[in-house]
Amino acid sequence: MQQSPLQPLFLWLVKNKQSIIKVWYTINMIIFLGIVAMTVFYLQQLYIPEFSTWGKRFGQFSVLLFCITITPGIMRRLQLKWKIKDIIMLFRRQLGIFTFIFAFIHYLTMSFLPTIVFKLPLLPVSSLQVMGLLSIYPMALVFFTSNDWSVKRLGKWWSRIHSLVYIIAWTIFFHVFLQGPLSVWGYLIGTYAILETASLLFAPYLRPKVTPPPVKPV
């Protein structure tokens, strides 16, 4: 069998996985301090226009990471055994956590903090906001159960909670779609939402059929 050109990269990532995860923890700490600083600025009503720009960018990064994290599941159901699947699986949990953190920053800057500071209506007043809330809160459930303790304690409920990604893919799509003319991010999440749903529906038909052994005559 021909070796994948990504095999050397995969082996390097396996060898350095723990070091990479340490860097990931450091980045998380920096992001946390940034969130605290931004929240203080908002509460002091020291609004910086760039916050909205950054919030939008973090939302886009979150869409990209969400698509990456659901790629292995789509490939598995479609019986695709490309090496990129193994590479993503090495850090899938970390990527998933980043997905929520970036979405949370987007939610803070574009909705929650402006609502609190500028005394805007607490209830969502548009379909865009509704779809945003229907994305971020289920993502929070997935985020808080993305650990070994939850896997052991929740049992079959862990799989059910993480099955919310099938719905989240569509709520994110509609959230992006309702922002205006469909952008590259809309086409990206729309394509992945279709692939996620289609791979789930057609997975039973794509599994290799196991032929039972012939029954020996008595």
Side-chain angles (χ1 to χ4, degrees), residues 4-7 10 75 81-88:
S4 168
L6 294 176
Q7 182 68 11
F10 174 74
M75 294 179 66
K81 299 181 180 180
W82 301 339
K83 203 64 186 178
I84 189 66
K85 170 177 170 288
D86 298 329
I87 291 176
I88 296 173

Side-chain angles (χ1 to χ4, degrees), residues 108-119:
L108 278 180
T109 55
M110 306 300 290
S111 180
F112 184 78
L113 288 176
T115 297
I116 299 300
V117 174
F118 302 120
K119 298 180 180 179

Side-chain angles (χ1 to χ4, degrees), residues 67-202:
C67 292
I68 292 173
T69 56
I70 66 175
T71 295
I74 293 172
M75 294 179 66
R76 174 176 52 81
R77 290 187 291 273
L78 295 179
Q79 304 295 316
L80 299 175
K81 299 181 180 180
W82 301 339
K83 203 64 186 178
I84 189 66
K85 170 177 170 288
D86 298 329
I87 291 176
I88 296 173
M89 286 301 296
L90 283 174
F91 303 101
R92 190 183 188 188
R93 179 175 292 179
Q94 287 75 29
L95 291 172
I97 291 172
F98 265 161
T99 300
F100 173 75
I101 291 174
F102 289 175
F104 182 67
I105 294 173
H106 174 73
Y107 171 60
L108 278 180
T109 55
M110 306 300 290
S111 180
F112 184 78
L113 288 176
T115 297
I116 299 300
V117 174
F118 302 120
K119 298 180 180 179
L120 302 175
L122 291 176
L123 294 176
V125 296
S126 67
S127 299
L128 172 68
Q129 292 174 316
V130 170
M131 288 300 153
L133 292 177
L134 291 177
S135 300
I136 192 66
Y137 287 113
M139 284 178 70
L141 285 176
V142 175
F143 167 74
F144 285 114
T145 56
S146 293
N147 52 74
D148 294 334
W149 184 88
S150 294
V151 173
K152 294 177 182 178
R153 293 290 181 178
L154 294 175
K156 62 182 180 181
W157 278 101
W158 186 89
S159 298
R160 292 175 180 176
I161 290 172
H162 283 249
S163 294
L164 289 170
V165 295
Y166 301 116
I167 300 173
I168 294 171
W170 286 105
T171 56
I172 294 175
F173 167 72
F174 286 117
H175 178 66
V176 175
F177 175 79
L178 291 167
Q179 293 180 30
L182 205 58
S183 63
V184 63
W185 304 103
Y187 286 112
L188 177 66
I189 187 61
T191 300
Y192 267 84
I194 292 171
L195 287 173
E196 182 83 338
T197 303
S199 65
L200 178 67
L201 294 176
F202 291 105

